[in-house]
Amino acid sequence: MTPNDVSQLVESLCDGNDTAFHTLIQADKTIIPLLAQQFVTRVCGADRARIIEVIWQHRDTATIRFLASALNDEYPEVWKQAIDGLVTIGGDHSLDTLKAFLDQLNTDDARSPWIAEAIDQIESTLQ
C-alpha cells in the first residue's frame, strides 16, 4: 500500500467510513509507520484517536512506544485509545510502560485512574 493510498484511507476513516477502518486494520503491519505519520499531521483529536485505534488493532508489540507517546495527547479520546491499545497488547512491556507513566503523573491528573485500571487489567491477565 502506498503512502497516498494510506492517506486516502485515513481521510475516509476520519469521515467515519467503516470500510476504511477495516481495510486499514487488515493491512500488513508495514502500514503502521505510514499511520504514525498520518497521526502526527492531524490537528483534529478525533482523527488522531481513530488512527491510534487502527494502530493498536494490529496488536504489534513494536507499537508500544508509539502508544506510550500518545498518552501525552491533550485530547482525552486519544490517550484513552492509547490505553486501550496497551491493555489489548498487554504483556510485561505494556505493563512496565503504564507503570512508569503513572509514576510521572500527579495524583489529580485525569489520566491517573484510567492508567491504574489498565495496570490492574494487564496484571490480572499475567497471573
Side-chain angles (χ1 to χ4, degrees), residues 18-86:
D18 285 339
T19 302
F21 176 79
H22 292 289
T23 300
L24 289 166
I25 65 172
Q26 292 171 357
D28 188 84
K29 288 192 271 189
T30 58
I31 196 173
I32 293 172
L34 298 172
L35 290 168
Q37 187 176 37
Q38 288 290 315
F39 175 85
V40 299
T41 64
R42 296 289 167 155
V43 174
C44 177
D47 292 354
R48 290 193 311 276
R50 291 288 291 177
I51 294 167
I52 286 290
E53 182 180 8
V54 169
I55 289 171
W56 72 252
Q57 287 286 346
H58 283 268
R59 292 166 169 75
D60 185 352
T61 57
T63 64
I64 290 173
R65 188 175 184 180
F66 182 77
L67 294 173
S69 71
L71 294 172
N72 287 308
D73 197 278
E74 64 184 342
Y75 189 70
E77 203 54 43
V78 174
W79 55 258
K80 288 176 184 178
Q81 282 293 338
I83 291 170
D84 286 349
L86 290 165

Side-chain angles (χ1 to χ4, degrees), residues 69-107:
S69 71
L71 294 172
N72 287 308
D73 197 278
E74 64 184 342
Y75 189 70
E77 203 54 43
V78 174
W79 55 258
K80 288 176 184 178
Q81 282 293 338
I83 291 170
D84 286 349
L86 290 165
V87 170
T88 299
I89 293 169
D92 290 329
H93 192 131
S94 285
L95 181 62
D96 293 344
T97 298
L98 287 167
K99 284 182 175 180
F101 190 80
L102 184 61
D103 287 345
Q104 297 173 11
L105 295 179
N106 295 325
T107 54

